[in-house]
């Protein structure tokens, strides 16, 4: 290869790299929120850029905000709307919860969330129970005799919700009430998809299809939906993410469960020793 072509190829790579870094910087500046933002120097860090690109490739339906290094080597803090997760370098494994500095006795996650909104950082309200839910605003799915009951606040574009649906499908003799709870800040198309599902001729069937295949009904159908009411209810209850499960016996669970975990929590209330979030 001639010196000219070698230099030309090298220059092209530099231009491409600069373009990627500039685009990522612009994205970070427009999506980061007060209390979440990374500095311009962090935004153009090559490893930060690589993680953002990996996240966008793996999860194209999710809007990612600020991405920052944590004090733990190989672990990154990623914001998705008002939700935060800690991820590995490969953008594959997510940890949802709080990060603590035990030497300083400091909850690092809570301090970040407090910079956004005290209301957003609060725990789900224990005063909202299954009996308080307006079940007429949910999609009802009955399997077997439907004797056992649970309700799920779920987002059609939420990967963990899709995992939960696969586990729910393994249950028998259960009634599942699905409250459509699209998180528009994370999944911009979720509201339109949820509307199409609710307005379908058979919402339960449309929901099952959407969660298993990603296909939603024709969006031409228009009807009144409970979506806004569901969002308001979730906000009053302090629910920040999906899925969130209410069991008829008073137990609750934030996040996806496998079928064994679901079965344990579906035991009648008389056989449970405790209630609350598990």
């Amino acid at each position: 290869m001639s010196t000219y072509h070698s230099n030309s190829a090298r220059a092209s790579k530099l231009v491409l790299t600069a373009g990627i870094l500039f685009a990522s910087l612009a994205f970070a500046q427009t999506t980061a929120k007060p209390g979440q933002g990374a500095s311009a120097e962090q935004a153009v860090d090559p490893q930060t850029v690589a993680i953002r690109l990996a996240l966008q490739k793996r999860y194209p339906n999710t809007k990612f905000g600020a991405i920052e290094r944590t004090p733990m080597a190989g672990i990154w803090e990623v914001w998705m709307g008002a939700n935060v997760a800690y991820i590995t370098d490969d953008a594959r494994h997510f940890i949802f919860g709080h990060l603590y500095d035990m030497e300083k006795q400091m909850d690092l996650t809570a301090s970040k969330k407090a910079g956004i909104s005290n209301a957003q950082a609060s725990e789900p309200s224990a005063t909202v129970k299954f009996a308080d839910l307006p079940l007429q605003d949910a999609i009802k799915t009955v399997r077997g005799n439907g004797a056992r009951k649970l309700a799920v606040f779920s987002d059609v574009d939420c990967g963990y919700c899709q995992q939960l649906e696969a586990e729910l499908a393994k249950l028998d003799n259960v009634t599942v009430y699905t409250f459509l709870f699209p998180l528009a800040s994370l999944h911009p198309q979720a509201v339109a998809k949820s509307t199409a599902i609710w307005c379908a001729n058979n919402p339960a069937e449309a929901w099952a299809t959407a969660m298993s295949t990603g296909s939603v009904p024709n969006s031409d159908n228009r009807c009144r939906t409970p979506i806004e009411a569901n969002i308001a209810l979730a906000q009053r209850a302090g629910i920040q993410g999906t899925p969130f499960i209410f069991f008829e016996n008073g137990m609750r669970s934030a996040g996806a469960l496998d079928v064994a975990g679901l079965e344990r929590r579906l035991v009648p209330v008389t056989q449970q020793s405790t209630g609350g979030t598990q």
Side-chain angles (χ1 to χ4, degrees):
M1 178 182 292
S2 69
T3 302
Y4 171 79
H5 284 100
S6 177
N7 290 338
S8 177
R10 191 176 297 112
S12 296
K13 290 181 180 178
L14 288 172
V15 170
L16 177 60
T17 301
I20 292 174
L21 291 174
F22 179 80
S24 297
L25 173 58
F27 180 84
Q29 289 174 333
T30 57
T31 57
K33 294 185 177 182
Q36 299 179 5
S39 68
E41 290 77 15
Q42 290 173 315
V44 297
D45 173 70
Q47 197 168 2
T48 306
V49 173
I51 289 175
R52 184 180 296 284
L53 294 176
L55 286 168
Q56 291 171 336
K57 182 177 180 180
R58 283 181 178 272
Y59 315 103
N61 291 325
T62 300
K63 291 174 65 177
F64 294 97
I67 299 173
E68 300 182 21
R69 297 175 185 272
T70 71
M72 299 173 62
I75 302 295
W76 298 76
E77 177 185 282
V78 178
W79 287 89
M80 299 162 285
N83 300 303
V84 64
Y86 299 95
I87 68 168
T88 49
D89 286 329
D90 59 5
R92 174 182 174 183
H93 298 95
F94 280 59
I95 302 170
F96 290 90
H98 284 229
L99 182 63
Y100 291 83
D101 184 330
M102 298 306 293
E103 185 174 321
K104 296 181 179 179
Q105 291 293 299
M106 181 183 297
D107 184 338
L108 302 178
T109 305
S111 63
K112 284 290 189 70
K113 285 188 172 183
I116 306 168
S117 164
N118 289 332
Q120 290 174 329
S122 64
E123 292 297 320
S125 170
T127 61
V128 177
K129 301 185 183 302
F130 182 92
D132 303 318
L133 300 174
L135 300 181
Q136 71 278 6
D137 289 343
I139 294 173
K140 182 179 180 180
T141 303
V142 180
R143 297 189 177 95
N145 62 23
R148 303 180 296 174
K149 297 179 174 62
L150 61 86
V152 185
F153 280 74
S154 192
D155 182 330
V156 66
D157 280 334
C158 162
Y160 292 101
C161 299
Q162 293 161 7
Q163 291 177 22
L164 176 62
E165 283 298 317
E167 298 301 305
L168 289 171
K170 301 174 185 177
L171 294 173
D172 195 14
N173 299 328
V174 65
T175 299
V176 179
Y177 295 92
T178 302
F179 286 83
L180 298 175
F181 180 38
L183 301 175
S185 62
L186 302 182
H187 308 128
Q189 304 302 317
V191 173
K193 291 180 181 181
S194 298
T195 300
I197 290 168
W198 181 266
C199 295
N201 293 331
N202 187 331
E205 183 179 298
W207 172 256
T209 299
M211 297 304 275
S212 61
T213 69
S215 176
V216 298
N218 189 313
S219 60
D220 289 342
N221 289 343
R222 289 287 182 268
C223 69
R224 296 184 62 181
T225 78
I227 294 172
E228 289 187 7
N230 293 348
I231 293 173
L233 174 60
Q235 290 175 342
R236 289 197 302 274
I239 299 173
Q240 300 176 26
T242 55
F244 194 93
I245 312 171
F246 290 84
F247 296 88
E248 187 180 25
N249 58 26
M251 298 186 75
R252 304 179 307 156
S253 178
L257 295 171
D258 60 17
V259 66
L262 291 166
E263 288 284 2
R264 285 195 300 271
R265 291 163 176 78
L266 282 167
V267 174
V269 68
T270 55
Q271 298 180 31
Q272 291 284 358
S273 57
T274 59
T277 302
Q278 301 290 324

